[in-house]
Amino acid sequence: YLATNQGVVGSIPASRTKKRQASELKSSEAFSFPGFDEPWPDQAPICVKIGLMSKAFTKESDGDDDEDVAALPPLPAGGKNYITPQGYQRIKDELLDLIDNERPKVVEIVHWAASNGDRSENGDYLYGKKRLREIDRRIRFLTKRLEIAEVVDPGVHAGSDQVFFGATVSYVDDEGVERTITIMGIDEADSAQNQVSWIAPVSRALLKARVGDEVALPTPAGVRMLEILDVSYPQPTTRS
């Protein structure tokens, strides 16, 4: 087909193409957070190190790692793996501690145990090798999560009454039950702290709404209405 200013000759008319593009844009915006396209400054240096780590701890089969990923809720098509600066830092700290501290200690124990004779009945050696596999598996998993992480600072919305990623939202349902949750990334949300993944149904129902709005939350028992009572954000994180 020949592209022209009037459209595509022999293909979809320009007017219909624009409508389709607008529809696709609207769909993609449902899971986007304007203003967060720039990478977090701390991501650049760690990404370089991550690239080296990926090669250093690669094995023939990553089946075990896939099990870890499968335990996490899947991202929406075209969605990004949003995470707060604090959540990103926690994952990075754990990863670097495994590489710089825990793994070298276990390697040293394995080498020591291997020098003590028959490895088939050597408890220190067998346990050390098992622990080393667990550490390497965890390193690969954390590396993959950091590689796809999209750091978002909720503090940029401090003072806003609209719900975005990182918001702490208080709402009341149609039965009068009040609840307060914080919308977080899938790699950091802790239900014990009333933190909910941003792709959870309740989060998706609340996102983009404002204080005073009522939103519909589909549940297995039917649709429930939630009224937003309050929205708050932490102060912006200082970028170094």
Side-chain angles (χ1 to χ4, degrees), residues 39-188:
W40 192 255
D42 195 36
Q43 282 186 270
I46 191 63
C47 284
V48 174
K49 191 166 186 177
I50 282 174
L52 299 176
M53 286 186 255
S54 297
K55 296 179 180 179
F57 297 101
T58 297
K59 64 177 180 178
E60 292 183 2
S61 172
D62 286 337
D64 291 340
D65 303 333
D66 292 339
E67 292 178 5
D68 287 338
V69 175
L72 296 172
L75 291 168
K80 297 181 179 180
N81 187 32
Y82 294 110
I83 189 170
T84 64
Q86 294 77 19
Y88 183 88
Q89 186 65 45
R90 283 193 295 271
I91 294 178
K92 188 182 77 170
D93 288 345
E94 180 186 352
L95 176 59
L96 296 181
D97 182 65
L98 288 172
I99 292 171
D100 296 335
N101 298 311
E102 188 165 355
R103 193 179 193 279
K105 291 178 182 177
V106 176
V107 168
E108 184 177 351
I109 293 174
V110 170
H111 286 170
W112 170 81
S115 67
N116 290 335
D118 186 3
R119 299 179 181 180
S120 63
E121 298 181 1
N122 189 326
D124 290 328
Y125 176 81
L126 295 176
Y127 173 78
K129 291 291 289 185
K130 178 177 180 293
R131 179 58 185 149
L132 198 57
R133 287 193 296 270
E134 293 172 349
I135 291 174
D136 287 350
R137 173 181 171 182
R138 184 64 177 172
I139 286 174
R140 286 189 298 269
F141 173 73
L142 295 177
T143 297
K144 290 178 181 178
R145 302 313 291 180
L146 288 181
E147 285 176 341
I148 64 171
E150 187 81 10
V151 181
V152 174
D153 182 8
V156 299
H157 292 294
S160 173
D161 69 345
Q162 189 171 14
V163 181
F164 291 101
F165 176 85
T168 296
V169 186
S170 296
Y171 63 86
V172 59
D173 64 21
D174 46 17
E175 293 184 352
V177 177
E178 293 188 19
R179 188 183 178 195
T180 298
I181 63 171
T182 300
I183 301 174
M184 308 286 281
I186 63 175
D187 289 316
E188 59 183 336

